[in-house]
Amino acid sequence: MEVIIRPTADEAAELTSRIIKKSILEKPNLVLGLATGGTMEVVYDKLVCAHKEDNLDFSLCRTFNLDEYIGLPVEDKNSYRYYMNKNLFSRINIDIRNTYLPNGMAENYTAESKKYERLIRENGGIDLQLLGIGRSGHIGFNEPLSALQSRTREKALTPVTIEQNEIYFEPPESMPKRAFTMGIGTILDARKIVLLATGEGKAGIIAKAVEGPVTSMISASALQLHPKTTIIVDESAAKNLEEKEYYHWLFENEPEWDEYK
Ligand code: GLP
């Protein structure tokens, strides 16, 4: 795991989008794992810019989202399919048939989860997985106590997550209480992982996930087990990290980061 601290949220999102851009240039048929949430909207805006201004070509890319609410049809503006179409897919030249999310309306949860795992496998596995982090420490919707080897399944959401996300729903109580999510094991199978967290609200959970013990109570801590994970934070989200000086030094001195300066 490596930690990169950028001065502002915008610069952290910029670095994240440039890593994605470089991966697509290196492998045009990249299998990209995608996340939702407010943090990612900036990243998607930057990818749209890269498409419009630098001709970044998504035509051969395939994407798999981490999760989807159970019970929301695709046309519901709070479904993650709606979010992805609005924030990214409708604004770039991706073939919509190559964009995958779990079907939130599926009635057989086990069959839908197995199908999603199979689709990921059939597409050759995820090359680059983008992640945010929830206040409960979740990645995807892997709430506390999710098994570190879990696969795609349906999961009950915690009160913390419901409180964090219900602001988007009208009325707030209409927020679904369950979701499909890739498992932690599914996420750890990705060849490379980038987690982006910005803002002071994430400082506490980032310090626990990055510098605390690996524990199923904080599913993001499982990323410590992955050989190619980069955690990108802004100064605010880095606030509680103990080894900040070392992380700054890494960005300034490791040759792999030269091209991003
Ligand atoms: C939701 C998603 C997570 C995401 C989280 C963070 O809970 N299921 O995948 O990481 O939101 O959201 P935000 O970026 O709005 O803080």
Side-chain angles (χ1 to χ4, degrees), residues 33-52:
L34 295 174
T36 51
T39 315
M40 294 306 149
E41 287 178 20
V42 192
V43 176
Y44 296 148
D45 281 347
K46 289 179 186 295
L47 288 178
V48 171
C49 264
H51 168 63
K52 298 218 159 105

Side-chain angles (χ1 to χ4, degrees), residues 34-41 66-69 80 83 130-135 138-143 157 161 164-165 168 175 179 181 196 198 202:
L34 295 174
T36 51
T39 315
M40 294 306 149
E41 287 178 20
L66 286 164
D67 43 18
E68 178 60 286
Y69 289 115
Y80 284 164
Y83 169 107
L130 180 61
L131 296 176
I133 185 169
R135 266 196 274 145
H138 69 214
I139 44 177
F141 269 134
N142 289 286
E143 298 288 36
L157 304 177
T161 298
Q164 186 187 334
N165 289 0
Y168 299 110
M175 177 180 157
T181 180
L196 172 66
T198 56
K202 298 282 169 76

